[in-house]
Amino acid sequence: MNLLLKVGFYTCGSKLFEETVGHCRVSPFVGTCWPGRTFLMNMGELHMKTWKTMLCMLMAALLLVAVGCSRGANAPSGQEPGVDRKEGEKPVSLDQMGAVSLTMFKEDNGVPVEKIQELVSKRFPQVQLTIIKSAKGSTIDDIVASGQIPDILSYSLGGLWKLKDLQLLTDLTPFIETYEFDLNRYVDGVVDTVRSYSENGQILVLPFELNNNALFYNKDIFDKTGVEYPKDDMTWEQLYELTKKVVRKDGDTQIHGFHYNFLNLIYKNQLALPFVDPQTEKAAVNNDQWARWLQVMTSFYTIAGNQPPVDEKTAFMKNQNLAMRTGPNFMTELAASNTGMNWDVVSLPHFEGQENAGSQMNAPYFAIPPASKNKDAAFQVIQYLLSDEVAVELARMGRIPIMKSESIRSEFGKGVPGLEGKNLAAFLKDTIAKPAPQTRYDGAAKSAFSAMITQSMLNGSKDVNTALRELEEQINKLIEQEKQR
């Protein structure tokens, strides 16, 4: 059976294009700039993955239609986008509301579910917060397709464009202004980066912690070889020289010098280089700047005896035959383990000449879908979860604070046994760089970049120029495939 389905989405910036559906005047989405799209689908020809994506988008649109209809065809034109209050109506404090039920969809990131529920129930006992954890059968696509739209999203940077595709992001500026949420509390670079996620500089998300990096090192390996420990503020070039000194054989065991998580440092993108040109929507990796990055970051694997192990985390924590590593922060896990390792950290190295440049922000965030019926309550819960009170408690648990207050930052890690005497200030030296240009194709480009390193560069089968030329071709193919979905 063939079915022709036509769905239109129209918005651009703050100007809203409205479409009439039946007798109800509908505003499908507010706050993010989107090109007008019409999807013509033949059910007999659709690929299943394409159909699932389209179904999710259709469900999101229909839910927004329902919300618009429930408010009536003559909703006040002066009403703030995404706000449930009418023009001139004062906001109601969550403390003055009766029982409120909220639903949060949460990826496996950041603060544990149990801790969030504990914090919210303690501060707002009248709020019943249900948290849906992302898992097989309950992904965000599954939730949207089922017709259930959460009030709050807790998501990671890698899923930002998915949320845009599903039209699950609201401009939070009206709530920020209404409830006087102070954006200046964030560390430098956070707000600029968040604004870069929107073509109009809107605040679509509010990050709640940082995923800063540091260089972990095994003191025992350095002590055995008599080599000096790594230091804060090193360059990658200096780290290369240090790596050569600690690589050796210890009996039958190969001691590796330094390894890193490829995808993690590609996301950190310390040189702030674009992966895809936003204007041409073509790969932007085949140039001298990326060649420099690749030359420096793969040079470690040209050192004899320093070929990468199967897994750098296992090599460092379990096998303990890796002197230094960086990537995702497993500091609290390491502190809780019984490895017996004498370890510490120093700040993430930087490129020569880029001493104060920082790294690209890669932080999880909160967001509110446009179809939520409890946006004001949802925002006030988010505001509390971003308060100094909560920030101090989470910092003590080892969550890297995203707020600049020294009273918060000074508490970092103090509540975690096993971190006493560690150089935890090293994590706070990983500052936020000027945001690199963003496109919807960056995720695929970054994954292709990581695969290229592991498949072509580490075994010496490709030189830098050849690898980048082939990567450019591959990314462009991925972009075209994405456009045809």
Side-chain angles (χ1 to χ4, degrees):
M1 179 180 70
N2 292 335
L3 173 66
L4 187 65
L5 182 61
K6 185 175 182 181
V7 183
F9 299 95
Y10 311 88
T11 62
C12 188
S14 59
K15 184 177 181 181
L16 178 65
F17 293 84
E18 296 177 327
E19 181 179 30
T20 301
V21 179
H23 298 289
C24 177
R25 197 165 173 233
V26 179
S27 301
F29 183 58
V30 178
T32 302
C33 186
W34 289 84
R37 294 182 181 178
T38 300
F39 303 98
L40 299 177
M41 298 186 287
N42 184 313
M43 292 289 288
E45 299 174 357
L46 274 177
H47 187 279
M48 183 58 69
K49 184 174 182 180
T50 302
W51 165 239
K52 185 175 181 180
T53 300
M54 304 300 282
L55 177 61
C56 291
M57 296 181 72
L58 174 60
M59 289 301 298
L62 293 178
L63 281 164
L64 290 168
V65 169
V67 172
C69 290
S70 67
R71 293 177 183 169
N74 297 311
S77 60
Q79 186 171 327
E80 291 178 317
V83 178
D84 297 320
R85 288 170 279 103
K86 296 180 180 180
E87 184 178 15
E89 185 178 349
K90 294 183 178 180
V92 178
S93 168
L94 187 51
D95 292 320
Q96 298 174 335
M97 295 182 187
V100 178
S101 295
L102 296 175
T103 300
M104 174 187 289
F105 179 86
K106 187 179 186 305
E107 277 196 319
D108 187 17
N109 59 34
V111 186
V113 167
E114 297 76 15
K115 188 62 180 178
I116 292 178
Q117 290 178 319
E118 174 194 328
L119 289 167
V120 173
S121 63
K122 181 179 178 181
R123 174 62 182 84
F124 301 112
Q126 79 278 25
V127 173
Q128 180 182 343
L129 178 64
T130 300
I131 300 181
I132 303 172
K133 293 179 66 174
S134 180
K136 184 177 181 180
S138 60
T139 65
I140 190 63
D141 298 277
D142 297 322
I143 299 303
V144 171
S146 72
Q148 182 180 7
I149 296 296
D151 299 293
I152 302 172
L153 300 171
S154 174
Y155 227 76
S156 61
L157 177 60
L160 181 70
W161 287 96
K162 173 180 282 292
L163 297 187
K164 284 188 174 185
D165 282 342
L166 294 176
Q167 306 210 9
L168 294 176
L169 298 178
T170 301
D171 181 15
L172 300 177
T173 303
F175 301 98
I176 291 169
E177 294 174 349
T178 296
Y179 296 102
E180 299 180 347
F181 181 83
D182 186 4
L183 293 173
N184 292 320
R185 294 171 54 239
Y186 278 119
V187 299
D188 295 343
V190 171
V191 176
D192 287 343
T193 300
V194 169
R195 291 192 186 281
S196 76
Y197 298 157
S198 164
E199 293 184 16
N200 299 306
Q202 297 164 327
I203 303 294
L204 302 177
V205 302
L206 288 175
F208 55 81
E209 68 181 27
L210 291 174
N211 281 333
N212 287 4
N213 286 38
L215 179 70
F216 288 74
Y217 67 98
N218 184 331
K219 287 186 173 183
D220 295 329
I221 292 178
F222 283 89
D223 291 342
K224 285 184 179 180
T225 58
V227 176
E228 69 275 15
Y229 295 151
K231 301 176 181 178
D232 285 335
D233 303 318
M234 294 177 66
T235 65
W236 292 113
E237 293 81 0
Q238 290 171 332
L239 184 62
Y240 172 81
E241 296 300 325
L242 184 59
T243 299
K244 290 194 297 184
K245 295 179 181 180
V246 293
V247 173
R248 63 186 177 87
K249 289 282 287 187
D250 185 5
D252 295 331
T253 302
Q254 178 64 53
I255 302 299
H256 300 266
F258 167 70
H259 295 306
Y260 63 96
N261 181 288
F262 303 125
L263 189 58
N264 181 264
L265 284 197
I266 288 169
Y267 265 85
K268 298 296 286 186
N269 187 10
Q270 290 178 307
L271 297 180
L273 303 174
F275 292 88
V276 177
D277 187 318
Q279 303 302 319
T280 65
E281 295 189 335
K282 297 290 184 182
V285 296
N286 190 10
N287 52 56
D288 292 342
Q289 293 89 347
W290 272 120
R292 178 195 178 194
W293 189 97
L294 195 58
Q295 188 73 54
V296 171
M297 297 310 297
T298 59
S299 65
F300 299 99
Y301 303 112
T302 65
I303 300 172
N306 196 53
Q307 283 64 48
V310 175
D311 173 48
E312 51 88 17
K313 180 179 179 180
T314 300
F316 189 81
M317 283 189 64
K318 182 179 179 180
N319 302 337
Q320 297 187 27
N321 64 337
L322 175 59
M324 300 174 287
R325 56 79 56 189
T326 192
N329 177 17
F330 50 73
M331 175 190 71
T332 53
E333 182 182 352
L334 185 58
S337 66
N338 296 315
T339 62
M341 185 199 308
N342 185 13
W343 63 275
D344 208 341
V345 292
V346 295
S347 61
L348 184 70
H350 57 266
F351 287 88
E352 192 172 298
Q354 301 286 322
E355 287 75 8
N356 300 309
S359 304
Q360 294 299 297
M361 185 179 79
N362 182 11
Y365 52 80
F366 292 123
I368 299 177
S372 167
K373 297 179 181 179
N374 298 292
K375 298 185 190 69
D376 282 279
F379 186 84
Q380 290 177 75
V381 167
I382 291 174
Q383 185 173 28
Y384 171 66
L385 292 174
L386 293 174
S387 67
D388 284 2
E389 174 188 345
V390 172
V392 167
E393 187 170 350
L394 297 182
R396 291 185 60 83
M397 292 171 53
R399 315 306 307 189
I400 301 176
I402 198 167
M403 301 303 174
K404 67 175 62 171
S405 170
E406 188 56 35
S407 63
I408 299 172
R409 292 161 70 86
S410 63
E411 293 296 314
F412 176 50
K414 285 187 176 180
V416 182
L419 295 183
E420 299 86 357
K422 303 297 183 186
N423 181 29
L424 301 185
F427 287 98
L428 306 182
K429 286 179 172 286
D430 188 12
T431 57
I432 299 174
K434 178 181 178 181
Q438 306 270 336
T439 76
R440 65 184 302 106
Y441 310 108
D442 288 355
K446 292 170 184 176
S447 295
F449 205 122
S450 178
M452 176 268 292
I453 294 178
T454 57
Q455 296 170 8
S456 301
M457 295 298 298
L458 298 187
N459 60 15
S461 63
K462 302 271 177 70
D463 61 80
V464 169
N465 293 330
T466 300
L468 288 177
R469 185 176 65 252
E470 293 181 358
L471 177 63
E472 178 184 43
E473 296 172 356
Q474 182 184 1
I475 292 175
N476 285 334
K477 288 180 181 179
L478 291 172
I479 291 173
E480 290 306 312
Q481 290 171 7
E482 182 68 23
K483 287 181 177 181
Q484 293 172 11
R485 289 182 180 179

